[in-house]
Amino acid sequence: MTIKERMAELGITLPGFTPPIANYVCASRCGKLVFTAGNTPKINGVLQYTGHLCNGREEEGYQAARLCALNALGVLDVLVGGLDNIAHFVKVTGYINSEPDFYNQPAVLNGASDLLVEIFGENGRHARCALGMATLGGNAACELTFEVELKDETLAAI
């Protein structure tokens, strides 16, 4: 079963690829490793989850992290020769816009981690870091980056 078939089975669709809005690239490659730029919880370029996360907003943060992950997958799908070219997810780093007394960043980042395992199975398991931040660009609720290993680096467009 392909990754796209697995996603269809789960009722998951990727958002469209959005080009960068500043002087950076959406992903950079070093051999078989690909590092994504930060992805925020946007749909059609519009932030869906904003503001500081706090106690009581963990589920909203979870959904925001899931949407960030979908956006990052959309980038990877275009730039690495399709999602089936991902050997495994090496690391996920999540930046969580947090109130000073909010300490549940890992629960928020579970939105991304759970999605990756749902779609990729064991290849979706990864090391990760969930960081609380005072603020994020555009007041996004969270932002994340992926580090992935490719099966075949010659298929990548980057």
Side-chain angles (χ1 to χ4, degrees):
M1 176 183 299
T2 69
I3 296 299
K4 293 279 179 80
E5 289 169 343
R6 174 73 178 143
M7 291 175 68
E9 183 180 86
L10 294 168
I12 298 170
T13 57
L14 290 178
F17 177 80
T18 303
I21 58 171
N23 191 17
Y24 66 93
V25 294
C26 292
S28 181
R29 182 172 63 89
C30 182
K32 287 190 168 191
L33 294 177
V34 174
F35 306 83
T36 67
N39 286 270
T40 54
K42 291 182 180 179
I43 296 176
N44 297 323
V46 178
L47 278 171
Q48 302 300 302
Y49 299 93
T50 60
H52 287 98
L53 295 177
C54 58
N55 296 318
R57 288 190 70 195
E58 290 92 349
E59 178 58 29
E60 186 179 352
Y62 180 98
Q63 294 303 323
R66 185 176 175 95
L67 182 53
C68 291
L70 286 170
N71 283 319
L73 290 175
V75 167
L76 290 171
D77 188 40
V78 170
L79 296 179
V80 304
L83 297 178
D84 287 302
N85 194 30
I86 297 173
H88 79 280
F89 286 78
V90 178
K91 186 173 182 184
V92 173
T93 303
Y95 305 91
I96 314 303
N97 191 351
S98 301
E99 288 288 339
D101 64 346
F102 182 64
Y103 308 111
N104 213 0
Q105 291 83 5
V108 170
L109 193 55
N110 283 344
S113 296
D114 291 349
L115 177 75
L116 294 178
V117 174
E118 284 174 44
I119 296 171
F120 293 90
E122 285 302 310
N123 293 335
R125 292 198 186 281
H126 50 272
R128 72 178 204 178
C129 186
L131 304 164
M133 309 302 289
T135 189
L136 291 172
N139 200 28
C142 60
E143 183 171 341
L144 63 77
T145 62
F146 286 163
E147 296 172 25
V148 301
E149 180 188 15
L150 302 181
K151 293 176 183 172
D152 182 354
E153 64 188 277
T154 66
L155 298 177
I158 55 173

